């Protein structure tokens, strides 16, 4: 809409997507990013010829990304290249038993029946039932819950019988699988939400279904290319993105967001403000206490938050026989999860994940070398763990595990370059509240209407995108938050949703209508 100015705090995937969509409608879009790159946690680290994704390393629901570009009249293929990853994962259990999860059904059947005899028919039953559940639940995540009456929406009414919110994810998977190791193969995805599968609502069984039914994808160059592609599309539509420019404060007058004050002292006026910063960080640092009632600093400290992650980015002068995605479970997985979610010390026997993207994408490392991304779930900073003391010992523990469990026996002698991010780093350098990298937890009391609203409650003309608002954390849902908030702005300005009508042509399974 010509003449209407939108100011966006943060160039993460949510802020960029909202900016791209609104710019396609003629809004004067201005995005301000404190870093020298776009993406936030979906950004990149380039070091000594190696490229690492900072956070997400795979894409689910590729049709969601394609739809966001379509809403702006663009085609995702013009901005990035997606490549399906199969096997999706290599899982290794405490007894060195290995399960590879495939989209290829013949390979999947062979794997399952060799390790868990009789499990494949139950797996097919899982896919059948969870497809019905996904078809019912997903539409309820695509609408706003700005008012309590929105809980009466037809989408949510249709979803309620399928939510399985009365039991935890691990118990829900017991409806299909008897073996605990096999259940774990379908519940570890709760980590994407930073939660324990013994506490995460059974609703989220749809995550593993999505992976198995629709597949997972790599973006050539790394998932950071998603945000770089959205940023280019936004600029192609005349949206403006200003890097190395931090926002100091959301300016509120008479109950309305009217602009931004930048750290350099510049004051900007706007018709709409979108917050894409980490939600709790924004409440503590960007919104004056006088303008808050529901989300004061004291109340934010009482919220429930996800776990954190200890990250090691290793550029090695050797290529190892790893799959693209590799997960190594601790000997006592449940105990490990309990330490992460309720403990106050570093895990004794941590589970960990290794991404070895070079097997799919040679561009991320020099020839003959590999960019290894090592992720270890740990407690957030409410635990009181002192990472200035624990960083080096924990690094040594993880390197030993890479040697002993992952078989990378000579890893120490092949590291050319290295970077570590601890929960302390997430909080102090990446502005992640308490280092909780997956944002607010996804318990029932912090979902739908009970999660911070897309149309912000504290004052008018302000909207939220990102993992701290509805529908929640994870790249596809963050993109969805941008679509919801963009549509709310367009509706408020009485703009016909032409692009939405022309391009929203996919059903909940990503198939053409």
């Amino acid at each position: 809409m010509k003449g209407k100015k939108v100011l966006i705090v943060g160039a993460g995937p949510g802020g960029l997507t909202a900016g791209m969509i609104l710019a396609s409608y003629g809004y004067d879009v201005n995005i301000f990013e404190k870093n020298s790159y776009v993406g936030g946690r979906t950004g990149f680290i380039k070091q000594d010829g190696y490229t690492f994704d900072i956070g997400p390393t795979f894409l689910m629901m590729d049709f969601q990304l394609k739809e966001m570009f379509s809403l702006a009249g663009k085609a995702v293929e013009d901005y990035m290249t997606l490549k399906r990853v199969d096997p999706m994962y290599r899982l290794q259990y405490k007894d060195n038993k290995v399960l590879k999860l495939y989209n290829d059904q013949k390979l999947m059947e062979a794997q399952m029946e060799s390790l868990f005899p009789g499990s494949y028919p139950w797996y097919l039953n899982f896919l059948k039932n969870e497809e019905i559940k996904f078809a019912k639940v997903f539409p309820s995540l695509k609408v706003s819950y700005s008012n309590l009456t929105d809980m009466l929406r037809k989408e949510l009414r249709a979803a309620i019988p399928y939510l399985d919110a009365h039991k935890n994810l691990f118990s829900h998977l017991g409806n299909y699988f008897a073996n605990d190791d096999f259940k774990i193969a379908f519940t570890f995805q709760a980590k994407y939400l930073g939660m324990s599968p013994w506490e995460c609502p059974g609703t989220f069984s749809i995550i593993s279904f999505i992976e198995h039914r629709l597949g997972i994808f790599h973006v050539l160059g790394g998932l950071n290319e998603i945000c770089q592609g959205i940023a280019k599309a936004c600029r192609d539509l005349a949206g403006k993105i200003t890097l190395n420019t931090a926002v100091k404060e959301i300016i509120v007058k008479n109950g309305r967001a009217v602009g931004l004050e930048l750290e350099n002292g510049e004051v900007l006026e706007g018709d709409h403000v979108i917050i894409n910063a980490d939600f709790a960080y924004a409440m503590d640092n960007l919104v004056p206490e006088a303008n808050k009632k529901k989300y004061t600093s004291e109340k934010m400290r009482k919220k429930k938050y996800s776990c954190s992650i200890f990250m090691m980015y290793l550029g090695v002068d050797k290529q190892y026989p790893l799959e693209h995605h590799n997960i190594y479970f601790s000997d006592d997985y449940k105990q490990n999860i309990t330490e992460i979610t309720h403990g106050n010390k570093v895990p004794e026997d941590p589970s960990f994940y290794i991404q070895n993207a070079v097997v799919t994408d040679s561009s991320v490392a020099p020839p003959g070398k590999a960019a290894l991304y090592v992720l270890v779930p740990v407690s957030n900073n409410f635990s009181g763990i002192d990472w200035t003391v624990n960083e080096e010992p924990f690094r040594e523990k993880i390197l030993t595990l890479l040697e002993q469990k992952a078989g990378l026996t000579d890893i120490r002698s092949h590291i050319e370059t290295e970077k570590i991010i601890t929960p302390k780093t997430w909080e102090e350098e990446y502005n992640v509240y308490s280092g909780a990298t997956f944002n607010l937890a996804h318990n029932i009391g912090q979902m739908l209407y009970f999660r911070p609203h897309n149309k912000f409650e504290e004052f008018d003309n302000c909207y939220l995108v990102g993992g701290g608002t509805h529908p929640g954390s994870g790249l596809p849902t963050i993109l969805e938050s941008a679509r919801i908030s963009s549509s709310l702005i367009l509706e408020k300005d009485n703009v016909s949703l032409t692009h939405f009508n022309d391009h929203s042509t996919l059903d909940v399974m990503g198939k053409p209508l």
Side-chain angles (χ1 to χ4, degrees):
M1 172 177 260
K2 294 191 182 300
K4 289 274 190 177
K5 178 173 283 190
V6 178
L7 304 176
I8 301 178
V9 182
L16 290 169
T17 301
M20 175 180 69
I21 293 171
L22 293 171
S24 76
Y25 281 85
Y27 281 83
D28 180 5
V29 171
N30 294 264
I31 304 176
F32 299 93
E33 170 57 51
K34 73 178 183 67
N35 292 313
S36 60
Y37 54 87
V38 299
R41 277 166 269 185
T42 314
F44 60 85
I45 297 167
K46 291 187 183 291
Q47 192 165 295
D48 300 324
Y50 297 87
T51 300
F52 305 93
D53 285 318
I54 294 174
T57 55
F58 65 89
L59 175 68
M60 299 165 50
M61 298 168 63
D62 62 314
F63 70 87
Q64 276 281 97
L65 179 63
K66 293 174 182 177
E67 182 177 3
M68 297 306 136
F69 274 83
S70 292
L71 294 177
K74 297 291 185 180
V76 71
E77 295 81 7
D78 294 334
Y79 293 90
M80 67 196 74
T81 301
L82 307 183
K83 188 171 182 179
R84 184 184 290 270
V85 176
D86 201 24
M88 297 182 291
Y89 303 100
R90 178 189 183 276
L91 310 181
Q92 183 170 312
Y93 297 92
K94 62 182 179 181
D95 54 4
N96 293 323
K97 179 170 59 183
V98 171
L99 172 65
K100 293 184 181 181
L101 302 179
Y102 289 93
N103 277 141
D104 184 305
Q105 289 299 293
K106 289 185 178 179
L107 292 174
M108 188 64 181
E109 180 179 9
Q111 276 278 295
M112 293 174 62
E113 290 300 325
S114 67
L115 293 172
F116 305 101
S119 61
Y120 189 68
W122 286 99
Y123 172 71
L124 295 178
N125 193 39
F126 163 81
L127 292 179
K128 178 183 176 181
N129 290 345
E130 294 294 318
E131 180 166 346
I132 296 169
K133 176 178 175 177
F134 178 62
K136 294 292 185 180
V137 172
F138 186 54
S140 73
L141 303 179
K142 292 174 71 69
V143 295
S144 169
Y145 293 91
S146 298
N147 301 294
L148 191 55
T149 53
D150 289 334
M151 294 291 280
L152 301 175
R153 282 179 176 271
K154 62 180 182 180
E155 294 89 350
L156 184 56
R157 294 202 308 272
I160 285 174
Y162 300 88
L163 288 177
D164 297 314
H166 61 289
K167 51 187 172 181
N168 66 54
L169 180 57
F170 196 82
S171 295
H172 175 65
L173 266 294
N175 294 334
Y176 304 106
F177 312 121
N179 183 281
D180 283 354
D181 281 349
F182 202 48
K183 289 181 200 174
I184 288 172
F186 292 81
T187 58
F188 73 82
Q189 292 85 350
K191 290 285 187 62
Y192 307 164
L193 307 173
M195 294 186 71
S196 161
W198 287 272
E199 296 178 351
C200 181
T203 309
F204 293 104
S205 59
I206 60 173
I207 298 177
S208 53
F209 161 76
I210 290 166
E211 292 182 343
H212 285 259
R213 177 65 173 77
L214 301 176
I216 62 175
F217 297 83
H218 176 73
V219 183
L220 294 186
L223 254 70
N224 65 87
E225 291 287 341
I226 291 177
C227 285
Q228 294 187 63
I230 299 172
K232 186 177 187 306
C234 184
R235 290 183 174 117
D236 288 347
L237 292 162
K240 294 180 281 293
I241 303 171
T242 305
L243 302 176
N244 299 302
T245 304
V247 172
K248 181 179 180 180
E249 185 177 311
I250 313 294
I251 300 173
V252 180
K253 293 182 180 179
N254 300 318
R256 299 170 68 249
V258 297
L260 302 176
E261 181 183 353
L262 306 182
E263 285 285 1
N264 62 17
E266 185 178 0
V267 174
L268 303 166
E269 295 183 352
D271 297 286
H272 302 289
V273 172
I274 297 176
I275 300 177
N276 184 211
D278 181 270
F279 177 71
Y281 169 85
M283 292 304 98
D284 253 11
N285 295 275
L286 304 182
V287 178
E289 204 72 6
N291 295 316
K292 297 179 294 187
K293 293 181 180 178
K294 187 174 181 179
Y295 297 113
T296 63
S297 295
E298 181 181 357
K299 290 178 179 178
M300 290 309 302
R301 283 193 292 273
K302 295 178 181 178
K303 297 285 184 182
K304 294 183 178 180
Y305 292 88
S306 73
C307 70
S308 188
I309 49 178
F310 179 94
M311 292 298 313
M312 295 176 65
Y313 308 89
L314 305 176
V316 295
D317 62 0
K318 176 180 179 178
Q319 293 188 357
Y320 290 95
L322 298 167
E323 299 292 351
H324 190 118
H325 300 296
N326 308 268
I327 295 174
Y328 301 83
F329 296 115
S330 63
D331 289 351
D332 188 339
Y333 185 60
K334 186 173 184 179
Q335 175 60 29
N336 174 225
I337 296 295
T338 301
E339 288 177 340
I340 293 165
T341 53
H342 298 290
N344 57 3
K345 61 180 182 179
V346 297
E348 290 292 334
D349 177 27
S351 301
F352 61 97
Y353 157 80
I354 304 174
Q355 185 212 32
N356 181 40
V358 74
V359 299
T360 304
D361 181 2
S362 62
S363 72
V364 300
K369 302 181 181 182
L372 299 182
Y373 167 114
V374 182
L375 179 154
V376 189
V378 294
S379 301
N380 63 39
N381 290 330
F382 281 109
S383 66
I385 296 170
D386 184 351
W387 283 103
T388 59
V389 173
N390 284 284
E391 177 180 334
E392 185 57 29
F394 199 62
R395 171 189 178 273
E396 288 299 312
K397 180 190 287 283
I398 300 307
L399 287 174
T400 299
L401 287 173
L402 295 181
E403 293 168 339
Q404 295 177 350
K405 283 197 171 184
L408 312 185
T409 55
D410 57 356
I411 182 72
R412 295 171 193 265
S413 63
H414 288 281
I415 297 172
E416 284 194 327
T417 192
E418 176 181 358
K419 182 176 177 64
I420 291 176
I421 296 179
T422 72
K424 182 176 185 287
T425 320
W426 287 119
E427 181 167 6
E428 295 180 355
E429 297 183 20
Y430 289 86
N431 293 350
V432 175
Y433 187 84
S434 194
T437 43
F438 304 95
N439 225 295
L440 290 166
H442 292 74
N443 54 298
I444 294 301
Q446 293 184 164
M447 289 172 57
L448 302 174
Y449 173 79
F450 306 105
R451 201 166 184 84
H453 301 167
N454 301 97
K455 184 180 185 303
F456 191 40
E457 304 100 298
E458 298 282 25
F459 38 82
D460 199 12
N461 289 353
C462 186
Y463 300 83
L464 304 179
V465 297
T469 187
H470 171 72
S473 66
L475 193 53
T477 43
I478 286 172
L479 298 178
E480 190 60 42
S481 75
R483 188 196 64 80
I484 293 171
S485 290
S486 298
S487 68
L488 291 172
I489 290 172
L490 292 166
E491 290 168 4
K492 182 174 183 178
D493 289 339
N494 297 312
V495 178
S496 175
L497 306 183
T498 53
H499 298 178
F500 284 61
N501 295 332
D502 292 345
H503 298 283
S504 294
T505 57
L506 301 174
D507 70 6
V508 294
M509 290 302 295
K511 302 173 184 176
L513 292 170

